[in-house]
Each structure stands twice: as structure tokens, then as C-alpha cells.
Amino acid sequence: MVAGRVICFLAHLLTISIVCLSYALGFQTIAAQPGNANRKASASTTKLQMVRNIDLPEAIVFYGIESMMEHSSSGDDDASSLMLRPGVVRLINECLDVGTAAILLSEESGASETSARQLFLSACDSSLDATASSNIQKIIGGHDNQVLHFRTLNSHFVCPPASDYDEESSDDQTDEEDESIEFYNLQSNGRSPSPAFLLDSLRSVIIDPRGFGGSSGFGRGQWVEPRRSPMTARTVVFIAGDWVSKNGNDVAEGEERSTVKDRCAAARAAGCRVIYLENLTTDEHLPVSIEDDTDAMSLCDAVIDSFGNDNAREIQPVSLDAISTPGDYWLNPPNPRDDVGNGVAVDEIVEYFRTEREMEDALSDSSCIVADNDVADEEISEDEMAAILADLDAL
């Protein structure tokens, strides 16, 4: 019995010794391999870290006709001489591929969504060949798969359908979706520097949110979020300098018009990233001059001179990957902020401009004039003065 126990104990001891020896030899073999000299130290000090998500833009906004189009050197300062900036079609085609919304905003008085669409089509005809123009129908296609949207101050903003089958859904579901989105619908009182027009335009379109993962597709899951409007933190706004006519066709007297600095301030207050398109053209034959505002540039997150070109195979200064978060121009998503970077409450900013503009409209109304100048300047007669003094003596 004793001899059997001793033999069993020695067998266990031998097994443990062999395991320890194998582990030691195996570790030495790994450490001796090239590039593994510091593996032991790194394994003990390195912590597991989560891979950061790369958020592609959910919407890009061309704030003002100037940010999407430019005048040709041969032509008048009207719509007939407008053409698309190089790189615009390529950028919108990228939006078509990944499901990013593109919006053209116009604050011109009297402009409508139909006229903005016709202006875009006219600029396409002046800029593109027949092959490239055939893809434009996909960009401004039907209501369900439309990529480029047009919004003006005269637009009436309504809730977009929550799904492609929204017409077949019940009325209760439709009403519930309608209540989830609120619009300011201030028309001209919501123009920049108020963010109301920009926010209403974003809320009036709908996208399919992308799942977690990088811009190249790693770690991409299925789309689990319901369709919704683009987030302002994942919206990039392009702004360019104002056009000034050389032929005297400027803004009519008494007409109020927002400036490029106002548009920058509105985009910042809405909580979007802002990119300024600087003018470096010195062509004296252009029918308009472009006024760049250095103060407006200081409000933007980046300043570029062009979108690049329409060749998708070349490296471009502006692509959806470049303006991602993080990307080539910034690291973190923005928050609503004023001109000096302080956080702001968006609803308070909108209400402030609404009140101010309604008061201006009321003061300019002729019905608010209380007295005519002749009546206001009329002197008090001697009898009226005596009556007033008599009343004072009685006191």
C-alpha cells in the first residue's frame, strides 16, 4: 500500500515538472522570435481599448447658391451663366452611394423649390456632358430615393414619411410620427443668422442611419435604427462668399438679405460643422465679384478653395471620408455655439430673432403711427395753459 502511494505521488510530481518545463521552453521560443522581445512587457502594461467609430456625414448642406454654383466668364450675371462647381457632382454621387442626404438652401426672395430645381438642372446642362447628365436623374429622382433636396424660405415644411410603406400604415402610426418632429415654419423670419431655416430643412428630409463601423466598412452591422432626420452634429454645411453684381443688379432698396457671415453664424448655432469656400479666382471677365469675409472665415471649421474635381479615382480635398468625424478637418462632433464658441440654446436663439423681426415689421407698419408730425409739434394755447395752472393751484 505504502509503495503504491509513493509511486502515485512521484508520477504526479513528474507530470507537474514536465508541464512547467514545457511552458518555460515555449515562452523562451516565443521571446526569441524577431519582434517579440518586448511582448512580455507590453502584455502586462497594455490595456484593451475600444475602436473608435468613424461617422460619415448624414447630410451635407450647400447653404446658398454661391456654395454650389459659379458664373462662367462668358455671360451675364443671370442664371444662364451659372455652372456647377467642379467636384459637386462627384460629392453628391458619394452621397448617393452611402445614403447621405444633400440639401441646397436658397434664401433669395421669391425663390421656390421648383425654381431652385430648375436652376440646378440648368447649371448641370452648362457643366456636364451627356453621360454625366444621365446620372443627375438618380440624384434628383423620385420622392422615395431622392438624394438632393431643394429648400427655400417659401418652403412649407412637413414631416417626411417614416418608411417607404408609410402610405399603407395606419393613421395612428402616421400621427405618432408627425408628432415626433416639430418645425418652426417662420419663412423669412427664420432666415440666417437664425438657425430656424436650416433646422427645418434638415428635419424635412429622412435617412437610413448607418450602423457602427468605419468608413471603409469594418465592423459594420445591420441598420437597426429606424429612419430619421439627419443629426446636426453629423451635418456639414458649405458656405461661399456673396456675389456682387458688376452691372448694378444688386439687392433692391429696402430688401433685407442675409450675408455669408449670417449663414456661418446660423450653421454654428444649429450645431453643424462649417466649411468655407474661399475665392481665389482673379478672372476680371466674370459678371460678378465675389466678396470673401475674413470674419466669416474665422467662424468656420475649415477653409478650402475648391471641392476638387469630378474624377472619383483621384485624391480630393473634399470627400465624405475627409469630412467624417473624425476626419481630415476635425476630430469630435460639434455643439451649438455662438460666434465666440460659447454654448447656446437653439430654441432661445430662434425665439430672439423671431421676436426682433416681428417687432421690426410692426414698427414699419403705417398703422402704428400715433400722431402726425404737425400735430406733435403744435404748441399749447394760452387758455389751455391757464386751465392747467388753475388745476395745479387747487392741489
Side-chain angles (χ1 to χ4, degrees):
M1 293 289 293
V2 175
R5 292 179 178 178
V6 171
I7 292 174
C8 184
F9 174 76
L10 292 176
H12 284 292
L13 185 61
L14 180 62
T15 303
I16 295 173
S17 300
I18 293 173
V19 171
C20 293
L21 181 61
S22 300
Y23 178 80
L25 291 176
F27 180 80
Q28 291 176 359
T29 303
I30 294 174
Q33 294 178 359
N36 292 322
N38 298 325
R39 178 168 294 183
K40 181 178 179 181
S42 62
S44 61
T45 58
T46 302
K47 296 181 180 180
L48 181 63
Q49 297 180 351
M50 183 182 71
V51 178
R52 176 166 183 176
N53 189 28
I54 298 178
D55 296 320
L56 286 172
E58 294 183 349
I60 60 172
V61 177
F62 299 92
Y63 205 160
I65 301 297
E66 302 89 346
S67 62
M68 177 183 280
M69 306 175 193
E70 60 185 7
H71 284 275
S72 61
S73 56
S74 59
D76 298 328
D77 57 344
D78 55 8
S80 61
S81 65
L82 289 178
M83 55 191 302
L84 296 180
R85 287 177 177 267
V88 168
V89 174
R90 171 190 52 80
L91 193 59
I92 299 179
N93 281 329
E94 291 185 31
C95 296
L96 177 64
D97 293 336
V98 301
T100 296
I103 309 175
L104 173 60
L105 302 185
S106 175
E107 291 184 333
E108 297 293 332
S109 61
S112 64
E113 294 183 11
T114 302
S115 63
R117 178 189 293 265
Q118 293 299 325
L119 189 64
F120 173 77
L121 292 175
S122 176
C124 289
D125 293 338
S126 303
S127 310
L128 308 176
D129 54 21
T131 304
S133 297
S134 62
N135 198 35
I136 296 300
Q137 296 303 323
K138 298 180 181 179
I139 294 176
I140 61 172
H143 180 73
D144 294 335
N145 57 353
Q146 185 176 359
V147 176
L148 180 59
H149 306 265
F150 304 92
R151 298 292 183 266
T152 68
L153 291 178
N154 296 318
S155 298
H156 180 68
F157 298 101
V158 295
C159 295
S163 65
D164 294 337
Y165 308 99
D166 196 39
E167 295 180 355
E168 301 177 2
S169 61
S170 63
D171 294 338
D172 295 339
Q173 293 178 346
T174 304
D175 292 339
E176 182 179 354
E177 293 295 333
D178 290 344
E179 294 176 358
S180 64
I181 301 178
E182 296 181 356
F183 295 97
Y184 298 108
N185 264 326
L186 298 180
Q187 280 72 42
S188 61
N189 285 339
R191 68 184 184 278
S192 60
S194 171
F197 174 49
L198 174 58
L199 291 173
D200 280 351
S201 301
L202 288 174
R203 294 168 183 172
S204 65
V205 301
I206 204 165
I207 61 167
D208 290 305
R210 291 176 288 271
F212 178 86
S215 59
S216 299
F218 69 88
R220 290 284 294 273
Q222 297 295 323
W223 289 349
V224 294
E225 285 189 68
R227 304 185 77 191
R228 58 169 174 79
S229 299
M231 299 172 58
T232 56
R234 298 178 186 174
T235 298
V236 180
V237 180
F238 296 104
I239 296 175
D242 295 314
W243 289 339
V244 178
S245 174
K246 293 180 179 179
N247 299 329
N249 300 327
D250 292 332
V251 180
E253 184 178 356
E255 179 183 344
E256 295 185 4
R257 182 177 180 180
S258 298
T259 64
V260 58
K261 186 177 180 180
D262 294 334
R263 297 191 288 273
C264 292
R268 287 171 61 92
C272 304
R273 288 294 182 187
V274 191
I275 295 181
Y276 190 98
L277 283 160
E278 184 181 11
N279 173 51
L280 299 180
T281 303
T282 57
D283 189 354
E284 298 180 355
H285 299 287
L286 289 176
V288 298
S289 60
I290 303 174
E291 291 189 345
D292 283 327
D293 190 338
T294 55
D295 292 335
M297 292 182 187
S298 65
L299 301 178
C300 299
D301 300 287
V303 178
I304 59 176
D305 57 357
S306 72
F307 293 112
N309 56 48
D310 291 318
N311 189 351
R313 298 180 179 272
E314 297 182 4
I315 299 178
Q316 305 291 345
V318 176
S319 64
L320 292 187
D321 283 336
I323 57 178
S324 298
T325 304
D328 293 352
Y329 298 102
W330 49 76
L331 296 177
N332 300 312
N335 294 315
R337 60 223 187 268
D338 60 13
D339 292 356
V340 295
N342 297 324
V344 296
V346 180
D347 289 336
E348 293 181 2
I349 296 295
V350 172
E351 181 63 20
Y352 168 78
F353 283 107
R354 184 193 67 80
T355 304
E356 288 291 319
R357 286 164 178 169
E358 287 183 353
M359 290 180 61
E360 291 177 359
D361 294 339
L363 292 176
S364 62
D365 191 355
S366 59
S367 62
C368 294
I369 300 177
V370 178
D372 188 54
N373 293 333
D374 295 338
V375 177
D377 295 338
E378 185 178 353
E379 296 182 358
I380 301 177
S381 63
E382 295 182 359
D383 295 337
E384 292 176 343
M385 180 62 69
I388 292 174
L389 293 177
D391 293 337
L392 292 177
D393 291 341
L395 297 176

